[in-house]
Amino acid sequence: RKEVEQDPGPFNVPEGATVAFNCTYSNSASQSFFWYRQDCRKEPKLLMSVYSSGNEDGRFTAQLNRASQYISLLIRDSKLSDSATYLCVVTYTGGFKTIFGAGTRLFVKA
Amino acid sequence: DTAVSQTPKYLVTQMGNDKSIKCEQNLGHDTMYWYKQDSKKFLKIMFSYNNKELIINETVPNRFSPKSPDKAHLNLHINSLELGDSAVYFCASSQGGVGEQYFGPGTRLTVT
């Protein structure tokens, strides 16, 4: 079993749609959780950190369920510019070990 | 100012050669990382350094030797390159191990 598993995708959605990504992790000692975004042929960039209380940043909402070892990302009112690969990220060992999920590709179409 | 920079951006070389990739960060971070992203786009951690000390070595072949001369630099030397080493190598940095990681632009290594 992979340490971090994501929806395989790709997701093809029209502009304005709401899309949800799911992620599960296997190590209960995991300490920090993030969503990163990676555009084609570019480096990953932090989209948002994920907290148990849930957090929102504009159109993006992230949620963590430690009991279920589950992380989610919700994107509302999708824009063409949201097209990218979304990476679920988990850290442990004091944070120095970082595990990336395989990523979920999102295509937003006009 | 580029926060995390890597050189070279592209590297094409033949099997058996030795090559180095350099990484520098100007963010004042104390932790630096090397990642490998293969042709299937899977991003896998190779090494983590904190205050110039190796913290994580993810069962990477010993042909790969990282070196951190100071907290702002983490270089990667690869001996006897193999076809399977072809990938994009990303350097990253963070403050401590739990914060946001900032990535360099990547080095695209092609071994022929």
Side-chain angles (χ1 to χ4, degrees), chain A residues 2-3 31-32 34 36 38 41-46 87 91 93-102, chain B residues 10 31 33 35 37 41-43 45 48 50 55-56 58 90 96-105 108:
Chain A
K2 291 180 183 173
E3 291 183 88
Q31 297 168 289
S32 302
F34 307 90
Y36 277 71
Q38 186 173 25
R41 300 181 76 85
K42 296 286 189 181
E43 70 273 22
K45 292 185 178 178
L46 180 70
L87 301 161
T91 72
T93 315
F96 299 110
K97 182 164 183 176
T98 306
I99 307 297
F100 279 73
Chain B
Y10 299 96
T31 303
Y33 310 80
Y35 290 87
Q37 188 165 44
K41 308 301 182 189
F42 189 59
L43 194 65
I45 192 166
S48 297
N50 176 255
I55 304 295
I56 296 288
E58 279 295 294
F90 286 103
V98 294
E100 174 182 359
Q101 292 185 26
Y102 292 80
F103 283 76
R108 188 170 296 274

mmCIF file of all heavy atoms in Angstrom, chain A residues 2-3 31-32 34 36 38 41-46 87 91 93-102, chain B residues 10 31 33 35 37 41-43 45 48 50 55-56 58 90 96-105 108:
data_model
loop_
_atom_site.group_PDB
_atom_site.id
_atom_site.type_symbol
_atom_site.label_atom_id
_atom_site.label_comp_id
_atom_site.label_asym_id
_atom_site.label_seq_id
_atom_site.Cartn_x
_atom_site.Cartn_y
_atom_site.Cartn_z
ATOM 1 N N LYS A 2 0.547 2.224 -0.839
ATOM 2 C CA LYS A 2 1.333 3.451 -0.888
ATOM 3 C C LYS A 2 1.101 4.253 0.386
ATOM 4 O O LYS A 2 0.021 4.227 0.971
ATOM 5 C CB LYS A 2 0.925 4.284 -2.101
ATOM 6 C CG LYS A 2 1.335 3.665 -3.425
ATOM 7 C CD LYS A 2 0.907 4.535 -4.580
ATOM 8 C CE LYS A 2 1.261 3.875 -5.893
ATOM 9 N NZ LYS A 2 0.712 4.614 -7.039
ATOM 10 N N GLU A 3 2.113 5.005 0.791
ATOM 11 C CA GLU A 3 2.005 5.791 2.012
ATOM 12 C C GLU A 3 0.989 6.912 1.874
ATOM 13 O O GLU A 3 0.309 7.267 2.844
ATOM 14 C CB GLU A 3 3.363 6.362 2.379
ATOM 15 C CG GLU A 3 4.353 5.285 2.829
ATOM 16 C CD GLU A 3 5.681 5.861 3.256
ATOM 17 O OE1 GLU A 3 5.813 6.217 4.436
ATOM 18 O OE2 GLU A 3 6.576 5.965 2.409
ATOM 19 N N GLN A 31 2.555 14.078 10.688
ATOM 20 C CA GLN A 31 2.495 15.268 11.529
ATOM 21 C C GLN A 31 1.931 16.510 10.855
ATOM 22 O O GLN A 31 1.219 17.273 11.487
ATOM 23 C CB GLN A 31 3.906 15.572 12.036
ATOM 24 C CG GLN A 31 4.460 14.472 12.917
ATOM 25 C CD GLN A 31 5.944 14.645 13.177
ATOM 26 O OE1 GLN A 31 6.755 14.453 12.296
ATOM 27 N NE2 GLN A 31 6.289 14.998 14.395
ATOM 28 N N SER A 32 2.304 16.706 9.595
ATOM 29 C CA SER A 32 1.854 17.906 8.895
ATOM 30 C C SER A 32 1.300 17.499 7.547
ATOM 31 O O SER A 32 1.750 16.510 6.959
ATOM 32 C CB SER A 32 3.005 18.893 8.695
ATOM 33 O OG SER A 32 3.576 19.267 9.920
ATOM 34 N N PHE A 34 -0.375 18.955 3.668
ATOM 35 C CA PHE A 34 -0.415 20.082 2.737
ATOM 36 C C PHE A 34 -1.046 19.642 1.422
ATOM 37 O O PHE A 34 -1.026 18.462 1.065
ATOM 38 C CB PHE A 34 1.017 20.569 2.417
ATOM 39 C CG PHE A 34 1.853 20.885 3.619
ATOM 40 C CD1 PHE A 34 2.630 19.910 4.207
ATOM 41 C CD2 PHE A 34 1.877 22.163 4.139
ATOM 42 C CE1 PHE A 34 3.423 20.191 5.313
ATOM 43 C CE2 PHE A 34 2.667 22.460 5.245
ATOM 44 C CZ PHE A 34 3.433 21.479 5.832
ATOM 45 N N TYR A 36 -0.176 20.775 -2.491
ATOM 46 C CA TYR A 36 0.681 21.521 -3.394
ATOM 47 C C TYR A 36 0.064 21.459 -4.787
ATOM 48 O O TYR A 36 -0.682 20.542 -5.110
ATOM 49 C CB TYR A 36 2.092 20.913 -3.451
ATOM 50 C CG TYR A 36 3.009 21.344 -2.339
ATOM 51 C CD1 TYR A 36 2.809 20.899 -1.037
ATOM 52 C CD2 TYR A 36 4.093 22.186 -2.591
ATOM 53 C CE1 TYR A 36 3.665 21.287 -0.012
ATOM 54 C CE2 TYR A 36 4.961 22.575 -1.575
ATOM 55 C CZ TYR A 36 4.734 22.116 -0.288
ATOM 56 O OH TYR A 36 5.574 22.507 0.726
ATOM 57 N N GLN A 38 1.180 21.635 -8.934
ATOM 58 C CA GLN A 38 2.300 21.597 -9.880
ATOM 59 C C GLN A 38 1.768 21.801 -11.292
ATOM 60 O O GLN A 38 0.963 21.003 -11.771
ATOM 61 C CB GLN A 38 3.081 20.278 -9.788
ATOM 62 C CG GLN A 38 4.334 20.275 -10.654
ATOM 63 C CD GLN A 38 5.211 19.056 -10.446
ATOM 64 O OE1 GLN A 38 4.733 18.004 -10.022
ATOM 65 N NE2 GLN A 38 6.499 19.187 -10.738
ATOM 66 N N ARG A 41 5.680 20.964 -16.245
ATOM 67 C CA ARG A 41 7.096 21.285 -16.397
ATOM 68 C C ARG A 41 7.553 22.390 -15.436
ATOM 69 O O ARG A 41 8.506 23.118 -15.730
ATOM 70 C CB ARG A 41 7.428 21.644 -17.847
ATOM 71 C CG ARG A 41 7.123 20.516 -18.818
ATOM 72 C CD ARG A 41 7.476 20.896 -20.243
ATOM 73 N NE ARG A 41 8.908 20.858 -20.490
ATOM 74 C CZ ARG A 41 9.582 19.773 -20.822
ATOM 75 N NH1 ARG A 41 8.964 18.616 -20.946
ATOM 76 N NH2 ARG A 41 10.882 19.836 -21.060
ATOM 77 N N LYS A 42 6.843 22.522 -14.314
ATOM 78 C CA LYS A 42 7.226 23.499 -13.309
ATOM 79 C C LYS A 42 7.433 22.806 -11.961
ATOM 80 O O LYS A 42 7.114 21.627 -11.807
ATOM 81 C CB LYS A 42 6.116 24.556 -13.149
ATOM 82 C CG LYS A 42 5.879 25.384 -14.393
ATOM 83 C CD LYS A 42 6.985 26.382 -14.600
ATOM 84 C CE LYS A 42 6.632 27.349 -15.710
ATOM 85 N NZ LYS A 42 7.723 28.335 -15.936
ATOM 86 N N GLU A 43 7.940 23.555 -11.001
ATOM 87 C CA GLU A 43 8.130 23.001 -9.678
ATOM 88 C C GLU A 43 6.824 23.022 -8.883
ATOM 89 O O GLU A 43 5.955 23.857 -9.138
ATOM 90 C CB GLU A 43 9.216 23.793 -8.921
ATOM 91 C CG GLU A 43 8.831 25.199 -8.509
ATOM 92 C CD GLU A 43 9.102 26.243 -9.582
ATOM 93 O OE1 GLU A 43 9.192 25.896 -10.783
ATOM 94 O OE2 GLU A 43 9.191 27.426 -9.197
ATOM 95 N N PRO A 44 6.696 22.141 -7.894
ATOM 96 C CA PRO A 44 5.517 22.183 -7.019
ATOM 97 C C PRO A 44 5.523 23.469 -6.191
ATOM 98 O O PRO A 44 6.579 23.964 -5.791
ATOM 99 C CB PRO A 44 5.704 20.969 -6.104
ATOM 100 C CG PRO A 44 6.709 20.105 -6.787
ATOM 101 C CD PRO A 44 7.593 21.024 -7.555
ATOM 102 N N LYS A 45 4.325 23.975 -5.924
ATOM 103 C CA LYS A 45 4.183 25.153 -5.061
ATOM 104 C C LYS A 45 3.074 24.915 -4.064
ATOM 105 O O LYS A 45 2.048 24.295 -4.396
ATOM 106 C CB LYS A 45 3.875 26.400 -5.905
ATOM 107 C CG LYS A 45 5.033 26.829 -6.769
ATOM 108 C CD LYS A 45 4.750 28.123 -7.507
ATOM 109 C CE LYS A 45 5.955 28.537 -8.333
ATOM 110 N NZ LYS A 45 5.745 29.758 -9.109
ATOM 111 N N LEU A 46 3.275 25.412 -2.857
ATOM 112 C CA LEU A 46 2.286 25.211 -1.814
ATOM 113 C C LEU A 46 0.973 25.888 -2.182
ATOM 114 O O LEU A 46 0.940 27.062 -2.526
ATOM 115 C CB LEU A 46 2.780 25.773 -0.487
ATOM 116 C CG LEU A 46 1.811 25.609 0.674
ATOM 117 C CD1 LEU A 46 1.710 24.145 1.084
ATOM 118 C CD2 LEU A 46 2.217 26.474 1.858
ATOM 119 N N LEU A 87 -1.164 17.881 -5.572
ATOM 120 C CA LEU A 87 -0.380 16.890 -4.841
ATOM 121 C C LEU A 87 -0.718 16.934 -3.357
ATOM 122 O O LEU A 87 -0.642 17.991 -2.727
ATOM 123 C CB LEU A 87 1.120 17.181 -5.019
ATOM 124 C CG LEU A 87 1.631 17.183 -6.463
ATOM 125 C CD1 LEU A 87 2.961 17.920 -6.550
ATOM 126 C CD2 LEU A 87 1.793 15.767 -6.965
ATOM 127 N N THR A 91 4.002 14.874 6.058
ATOM 128 C CA THR A 91 5.358 14.825 6.603
ATOM 129 C C THR A 91 5.361 14.129 7.955
ATOM 130 O O THR A 91 4.360 14.175 8.696
ATOM 131 C CB THR A 91 5.971 16.228 6.781
ATOM 132 O OG1 THR A 91 5.339 16.873 7.880
ATOM 133 C CG2 THR A 91 5.807 17.059 5.538
ATOM 134 N N THR A 93 8.562 12.141 10.941
ATOM 135 C CA THR A 93 9.971 12.111 11.409
ATOM 136 C C THR A 93 10.419 13.537 11.700
ATOM 137 O O THR A 93 11.430 14.020 11.193
ATOM 138 C CB THR A 93 10.902 11.454 10.359
ATOM 139 O OG1 THR A 93 10.320 10.280 9.866
ATOM 140 C CG2 THR A 93 12.245 11.104 10.998
ATOM 141 N N GLY A 94 9.653 14.203 12.519
ATOM 142 C CA GLY A 94 9.971 15.582 12.849
ATOM 143 C C GLY A 94 9.794 16.494 11.659
ATOM 144 O O GLY A 94 10.271 17.628 11.664
ATOM 145 N N GLY A 95 9.149 15.991 10.637
ATOM 146 C CA GLY A 95 8.897 16.796 9.449
ATOM 147 C C GLY A 95 9.947 16.643 8.372
ATOM 148 O O GLY A 95 9.769 17.128 7.269
ATOM 149 N N PHE A 96 11.025 15.964 8.654
ATOM 150 C CA PHE A 96 12.093 15.894 7.665
ATOM 151 C C PHE A 96 11.842 14.860 6.585
ATOM 152 O O PHE A 96 12.519 14.849 5.576
ATOM 153 C CB PHE A 96 13.431 15.648 8.363
ATOM 154 C CG PHE A 96 13.792 16.743 9.312
ATOM 155 C CD1 PHE A 96 13.782 16.524 10.672
ATOM 156 C CD2 PHE A 96 14.083 18.008 8.830
ATOM 157 C CE1 PHE A 96 14.087 17.556 11.546
ATOM 158 C CE2 PHE A 96 14.390 19.046 9.700
ATOM 159 C CZ PHE A 96 14.396 18.819 11.064
ATOM 160 N N LYS A 97 10.881 13.973 6.819
ATOM 161 C CA LYS A 97 10.513 13.045 5.760
ATOM 162 C C LYS A 97 9.192 13.515 5.173
ATOM 163 O O LYS A 97 8.199 13.662 5.885
ATOM 164 C CB LYS A 97 10.379 11.623 6.289
ATOM 165 C CG LYS A 97 10.035 10.630 5.192
ATOM 166 C CD LYS A 97 10.270 9.213 5.629
ATOM 167 C CE LYS A 97 9.979 8.267 4.472
ATOM 168 N NZ LYS A 97 10.290 6.874 4.808
ATOM 169 N N THR A 98 9.201 13.756 3.877
ATOM 170 C CA THR A 98 8.026 14.288 3.194
ATOM 171 C C THR A 98 7.599 13.296 2.138
ATOM 172 O O THR A 98 8.410 12.879 1.309
ATOM 173 C CB THR A 98 8.352 15.636 2.533
ATOM 174 O OG1 THR A 98 8.899 16.512 3.518
ATOM 175 C CG2 THR A 98 7.112 16.253 1.931
ATOM 176 N N ILE A 99 6.329 12.923 2.185
ATOM 177 C CA ILE A 99 5.805 11.975 1.207
ATOM 178 C C ILE A 99 4.773 12.684 0.343
ATOM 179 O O ILE A 99 3.806 13.254 0.862
ATOM 180 C CB ILE A 99 5.129 10.773 1.900
ATOM 181 C CG1 ILE A 99 6.074 10.128 2.907
ATOM 182 C CG2 ILE A 99 4.660 9.763 0.864
ATOM 183 C CD1 ILE A 99 7.332 9.546 2.299
ATOM 184 N N PHE A 100 4.987 12.632 -0.947
ATOM 185 C CA PHE A 100 4.045 13.205 -1.905
ATOM 186 C C PHE A 100 3.161 12.099 -2.472
ATOM 187 O O PHE A 100 3.646 11.009 -2.791
ATOM 188 C CB PHE A 100 4.802 13.852 -3.067
ATOM 189 C CG PHE A 100 5.317 15.233 -2.785
ATOM 190 C CD1 PHE A 100 6.405 15.422 -1.948
ATOM 191 C CD2 PHE A 100 4.716 16.337 -3.358
ATOM 192 C CE1 PHE A 100 6.884 16.700 -1.683
ATOM 193 C CE2 PHE A 100 5.185 17.617 -3.099
ATOM 194 C CZ PHE A 100 6.271 17.799 -2.265
ATOM 195 N N GLY A 101 1.877 12.401 -2.627
ATOM 196 C CA GLY A 101 1.019 11.512 -3.379
ATOM 197 C C GLY A 101 1.366 11.607 -4.857
ATOM 198 O O GLY A 101 2.138 12.479 -5.276
ATOM 199 N N ALA A 102 0.800 10.691 -5.637
ATOM 200 C CA ALA A 102 1.112 10.652 -7.072
ATOM 201 C C ALA A 102 0.495 11.819 -7.836
ATOM 202 O O ALA A 102 0.862 12.078 -8.981
ATOM 203 C CB ALA A 102 0.649 9.329 -7.661
ATOM 204 N N TYR B 10 19.237 22.068 -17.427
ATOM 205 C CA TYR B 10 19.211 20.874 -18.264
ATOM 206 C C TYR B 10 20.587 20.237 -18.242
ATOM 207 O O TYR B 10 21.603 20.936 -18.243
ATOM 208 C CB TYR B 10 18.838 21.212 -19.716
ATOM 209 C CG TYR B 10 17.469 21.831 -19.868
ATOM 210 C CD1 TYR B 10 17.317 23.212 -19.927
ATOM 211 C CD2 TYR B 10 16.341 21.029 -19.960
ATOM 212 C CE1 TYR B 10 16.056 23.778 -20.055
ATOM 213 C CE2 TYR B 10 15.072 21.597 -20.093
ATOM 214 C CZ TYR B 10 14.947 22.968 -20.136
ATOM 215 O OH TYR B 10 13.703 23.531 -20.270
ATOM 216 N N THR B 31 16.756 23.866 6.499
ATOM 217 C CA THR B 31 16.527 22.508 6.010
ATOM 218 C C THR B 31 16.447 22.518 4.488
ATOM 219 O O THR B 31 15.782 23.375 3.897
ATOM 220 C CB THR B 31 15.220 21.932 6.595
ATOM 221 O OG1 THR B 31 15.295 21.985 8.022
ATOM 222 C CG2 THR B 31 15.018 20.485 6.166
ATOM 223 N N TYR B 33 16.388 19.829 0.808
ATOM 224 C CA TYR B 33 15.972 18.507 0.359
ATOM 225 C C TYR B 33 16.366 18.312 -1.112
ATOM 226 O O TYR B 33 16.461 19.267 -1.886
ATOM 227 C CB TYR B 33 14.440 18.375 0.404
ATOM 228 C CG TYR B 33 13.777 18.790 1.684
ATOM 229 C CD1 TYR B 33 13.535 20.137 1.952
ATOM 230 C CD2 TYR B 33 13.331 17.851 2.603
ATOM 231 C CE1 TYR B 33 12.892 20.533 3.112
ATOM 232 C CE2 TYR B 33 12.683 18.241 3.776
ATOM 233 C CZ TYR B 33 12.472 19.586 4.021
ATOM 234 O OH TYR B 33 11.828 19.970 5.173
ATOM 235 N N TYR B 35 14.750 15.914 -4.277
ATOM 236 C CA TYR B 35 13.680 15.043 -4.730
ATOM 237 C C TYR B 35 13.975 14.595 -6.157
ATOM 238 O O TYR B 35 14.601 15.315 -6.929
ATOM 239 C CB TYR B 35 12.336 15.785 -4.771
ATOM 240 C CG TYR B 35 11.746 16.128 -3.431
ATOM 241 C CD1 TYR B 35 12.084 17.308 -2.789
ATOM 242 C CD2 TYR B 35 10.839 15.274 -2.817
ATOM 243 C CE1 TYR B 35 11.535 17.636 -1.565
ATOM 244 C CE2 TYR B 35 10.270 15.595 -1.593
ATOM 245 C CZ TYR B 35 10.628 16.776 -0.975
ATOM 246 O OH TYR B 35 10.067 17.086 0.241
ATOM 247 N N GLN B 37 11.818 13.339 -9.588
ATOM 248 C CA GLN B 37 10.508 13.152 -10.221
ATOM 249 C C GLN B 37 10.728 12.383 -11.508
ATOM 250 O O GLN B 37 11.343 12.886 -12.443
ATOM 251 C CB GLN B 37 9.817 14.477 -10.489
ATOM 252 C CG GLN B 37 8.374 14.308 -10.970
ATOM 253 C CD GLN B 37 7.576 15.597 -10.891
ATOM 254 O OE1 GLN B 37 8.049 16.661 -11.266
ATOM 255 N NE2 GLN B 37 6.331 15.506 -10.403
ATOM 256 N N LYS B 41 5.925 11.116 -13.268
ATOM 257 C CA LYS B 41 5.648 12.337 -12.512
ATOM 258 C C LYS B 41 5.554 12.111 -11.009
ATOM 259 O O LYS B 41 5.083 12.978 -10.289
ATOM 260 C CB LYS B 41 4.344 13.016 -13.000
ATOM 261 C CG LYS B 41 4.293 13.241 -14.490
ATOM 262 C CD LYS B 41 5.424 14.106 -14.968
ATOM 263 C CE LYS B 41 5.345 14.376 -16.450
ATOM 264 N NZ LYS B 41 6.548 15.048 -16.954
ATOM 265 N N PHE B 42 6.015 10.929 -10.548
ATOM 266 C CA PHE B 42 5.960 10.660 -9.116
ATOM 267 C C PHE B 42 7.143 11.340 -8.444
ATOM 268 O O PHE B 42 8.297 11.113 -8.818
ATOM 269 C CB PHE B 42 5.961 9.161 -8.875
ATOM 270 C CG PHE B 42 5.690 8.777 -7.462
ATOM 271 C CD1 PHE B 42 4.515 9.144 -6.840
ATOM 272 C CD2 PHE B 42 6.618 8.056 -6.739
ATOM 273 C CE1 PHE B 42 4.260 8.795 -5.524
ATOM 274 C CE2 PHE B 42 6.371 7.707 -5.423
ATOM 275 C CZ PHE B 42 5.200 8.078 -4.815
ATOM 276 N N LEU B 43 6.858 12.170 -7.439
ATOM 277 C CA LEU B 43 7.894 12.953 -6.761
ATOM 278 C C LEU B 43 8.305 12.217 -5.485
ATOM 279 O O LEU B 43 7.483 11.984 -4.594
ATOM 280 C CB LEU B 43 7.314 14.329 -6.422
ATOM 281 C CG LEU B 43 8.274 15.429 -6.007
ATOM 282 C CD1 LEU B 43 9.186 15.785 -7.154
ATOM 283 C CD2 LEU B 43 7.493 16.652 -5.566
ATOM 284 N N ILE B 45 11.167 11.775 -2.269
ATOM 285 C CA ILE B 45 12.266 12.394 -1.537
ATOM 286 C C ILE B 45 13.503 11.497 -1.591
ATOM 287 O O ILE B 45 13.400 10.258 -1.545
ATOM 288 C CB ILE B 45 11.856 12.691 -0.080
ATOM 289 C CG1 ILE B 45 12.881 13.592 0.586
ATOM 290 C CG2 ILE B 45 11.629 11.401 0.715
ATOM 291 C CD1 ILE B 45 12.412 14.209 1.874
ATOM 292 N N SER B 48 17.214 14.619 3.065
ATOM 293 C CA SER B 48 16.886 15.826 3.819
ATOM 294 C C SER B 48 18.110 16.197 4.632
ATOM 295 O O SER B 48 18.739 15.322 5.250
ATOM 296 C CB SER B 48 15.733 15.596 4.803
ATOM 297 O OG SER B 48 14.551 15.257 4.162
ATOM 298 N N ASN B 50 19.396 19.062 7.619
ATOM 299 C CA ASN B 50 19.036 20.108 8.555
ATOM 300 C C ASN B 50 20.313 20.653 9.159
ATOM 301 O O ASN B 50 21.102 19.901 9.736
ATOM 302 C CB ASN B 50 18.102 19.573 9.635
ATOM 303 C CG ASN B 50 17.776 20.609 10.692
ATOM 304 O OD1 ASN B 50 18.279 20.559 11.811
ATOM 305 N ND2 ASN B 50 16.936 21.552 10.339
ATOM 306 N N ILE B 55 19.703 14.095 7.540
ATOM 307 C CA ILE B 55 18.640 13.594 8.402
ATOM 308 C C ILE B 55 17.960 12.378 7.775
ATOM 309 O O ILE B 55 17.669 11.394 8.431
ATOM 310 C CB ILE B 55 17.576 14.682 8.670
ATOM 311 C CG1 ILE B 55 18.224 15.930 9.263
ATOM 312 C CG2 ILE B 55 16.469 14.153 9.564
ATOM 313 C CD1 ILE B 55 18.838 15.732 10.628
ATOM 314 N N ILE B 56 17.650 12.501 6.495
ATOM 315 C CA ILE B 56 16.937 11.435 5.806
ATOM 316 C C ILE B 56 17.745 11.019 4.580
ATOM 317 O O ILE B 56 18.178 11.857 3.797
ATOM 318 C CB ILE B 56 15.535 11.905 5.348
ATOM 319 C CG1 ILE B 56 14.660 12.255 6.545
ATOM 320 C CG2 ILE B 56 14.867 10.866 4.456
ATOM 321 C CD1 ILE B 56 14.185 11.073 7.338
ATOM 322 N N GLU B 58 16.837 8.256 1.766
ATOM 323 C CA GLU B 58 15.777 7.315 1.419
ATOM 324 C C GLU B 58 16.271 6.186 0.528
ATOM 325 O O GLU B 58 15.871 6.083 -0.629
ATOM 326 C CB GLU B 58 14.607 8.052 0.753
ATOM 327 C CG GLU B 58 13.699 8.715 1.733
ATOM 328 C CD GLU B 58 12.983 7.714 2.608
ATOM 329 O OE1 GLU B 58 12.149 6.935 2.096
ATOM 330 O OE2 GLU B 58 13.259 7.688 3.832
ATOM 331 N N PHE B 90 14.593 17.938 -8.151
ATOM 332 C CA PHE B 90 14.204 19.199 -7.525
ATOM 333 C C PHE B 90 14.915 19.348 -6.191
ATOM 334 O O PHE B 90 14.955 18.411 -5.383
ATOM 335 C CB PHE B 90 12.700 19.240 -7.265
ATOM 336 C CG PHE B 90 11.848 19.440 -8.484
ATOM 337 C CD1 PHE B 90 11.171 18.369 -9.055
ATOM 338 C CD2 PHE B 90 11.701 20.700 -9.053
ATOM 339 C CE1 PHE B 90 10.377 18.549 -10.172
ATOM 340 C CE2 PHE B 90 10.904 20.887 -10.176
ATOM 341 C CZ PHE B 90 10.243 19.806 -10.731
ATOM 342 N N GLY B 96 12.929 24.482 9.456
ATOM 343 C CA GLY B 96 12.553 23.286 10.195
ATOM 344 C C GLY B 96 12.040 22.273 9.201
ATOM 345 O O GLY B 96 12.186 22.440 7.996
ATOM 346 N N GLY B 97 11.442 21.218 9.664
ATOM 347 C CA GLY B 97 10.967 20.192 8.761
ATOM 348 C C GLY B 97 9.475 20.210 8.523
ATOM 349 O O GLY B 97 8.971 19.431 7.726
ATOM 350 N N VAL B 98 8.755 21.098 9.189
ATOM 351 C CA VAL B 98 7.298 20.990 9.142
ATOM 352 C C VAL B 98 6.624 22.120 8.375
ATOM 353 O O VAL B 98 5.425 22.108 8.194
ATOM 354 C CB VAL B 98 6.707 20.908 10.563
ATOM 355 C CG1 VAL B 98 7.142 19.624 11.244
ATOM 356 C CG2 VAL B 98 7.091 22.123 11.383
ATOM 357 N N GLY B 99 7.383 23.076 7.925
ATOM 358 C CA GLY B 99 6.762 24.205 7.242
ATOM 359 C C GLY B 99 6.697 24.007 5.741
ATOM 360 O O GLY B 99 7.058 22.958 5.206
ATOM 361 N N GLU B 100 6.227 25.045 5.088
ATOM 362 C CA GLU B 100 6.145 25.027 3.630
ATOM 363 C C GLU B 100 7.522 24.810 3.026
ATOM 364 O O GLU B 100 8.518 25.385 3.476
ATOM 365 C CB GLU B 100 5.604 26.360 3.137
ATOM 366 C CG GLU B 100 5.610 26.524 1.626
ATOM 367 C CD GLU B 100 5.113 27.876 1.179
ATOM 368 O OE1 GLU B 100 4.742 28.699 2.050
ATOM 369 O OE2 GLU B 100 5.082 28.120 -0.037
ATOM 370 N N GLN B 101 7.566 24.005 1.995
ATOM 371 C CA GLN B 101 8.815 23.802 1.252
ATOM 372 C C GLN B 101 8.766 24.633 -0.016
ATOM 373 O O GLN B 101 7.764 24.644 -0.731
ATOM 374 C CB GLN B 101 9.006 22.324 0.917
ATOM 375 C CG GLN B 101 9.257 21.475 2.150
ATOM 376 C CD GLN B 101 9.566 20.038 1.833
ATOM 377 O OE1 GLN B 101 10.060 19.702 0.756
ATOM 378 N NE2 GLN B 101 9.293 19.167 2.777
ATOM 379 N N TYR B 102 9.870 25.303 -0.277
ATOM 380 C CA TYR B 102 10.019 26.086 -1.498
ATOM 381 C C TYR B 102 10.934 25.307 -2.434
ATOM 382 O O TYR B 102 12.039 24.912 -2.037
ATOM 383 C CB TYR B 102 10.631 27.451 -1.184
ATOM 384 C CG TYR B 102 9.716 28.350 -0.393
ATOM 385 C CD1 TYR B 102 9.580 28.196 0.984
ATOM 386 C CD2 TYR B 102 8.980 29.351 -1.020
ATOM 387 C CE1 TYR B 102 8.733 29.020 1.718
ATOM 388 C CE2 TYR B 102 8.146 30.183 -0.293
ATOM 389 C CZ TYR B 102 8.022 30.010 1.062
ATOM 390 O OH TYR B 102 7.183 30.816 1.781
ATOM 391 N N PHE B 103 10.465 25.120 -3.650
ATOM 392 C CA PHE B 103 11.191 24.293 -4.602
ATOM 393 C C PHE B 103 11.966 25.139 -5.604
ATOM 394 O O PHE B 103 11.530 26.232 -5.999
ATOM 395 C CB PHE B 103 10.221 23.398 -5.378
ATOM 396 C CG PHE B 103 9.749 22.210 -4.590
ATOM 397 C CD1 PHE B 103 8.791 22.345 -3.589
ATOM 398 C CD2 PHE B 103 10.277 20.944 -4.843
ATOM 399 C CE1 PHE B 103 8.368 21.253 -2.861
ATOM 400 C CE2 PHE B 103 9.844 19.843 -4.118
ATOM 401 C CZ PHE B 103 8.894 19.996 -3.117
ATOM 402 N N GLY B 104 13.092 24.605 -6.018
ATOM 403 C CA GLY B 104 13.804 25.176 -7.141
ATOM 404 C C GLY B 104 13.122 24.802 -8.441
ATOM 405 O O GLY B 104 12.187 23.998 -8.444
ATOM 406 N N PRO B 105 13.591 25.334 -9.562
ATOM 407 C CA PRO B 105 12.937 25.094 -10.853
ATOM 408 C C PRO B 105 13.172 23.705 -11.425
ATOM 409 O O PRO B 105 12.538 23.334 -12.403
ATOM 410 C CB PRO B 105 13.560 26.163 -11.757
ATOM 411 C CG PRO B 105 14.891 26.431 -11.141
ATOM 412 C CD PRO B 105 14.699 26.278 -9.663
ATOM 413 N N ARG B 108 16.591 18.986 -15.284
ATOM 414 C CA ARG B 108 16.138 17.862 -16.114
ATOM 415 C C ARG B 108 17.348 17.101 -16.598
ATOM 416 O O ARG B 108 18.101 17.589 -17.450
ATOM 417 C CB ARG B 108 15.308 18.387 -17.284
ATOM 418 C CG ARG B 108 14.608 17.316 -18.108
ATOM 419 C CD ARG B 108 13.614 17.931 -19.087
ATOM 420 N NE ARG B 108 12.530 18.602 -18.391
ATOM 421 C CZ ARG B 108 11.413 18.025 -17.962
ATOM 422 N NH1 ARG B 108 11.217 16.727 -18.177
ATOM 423 N NH2 ARG B 108 10.483 18.714 -17.346
#
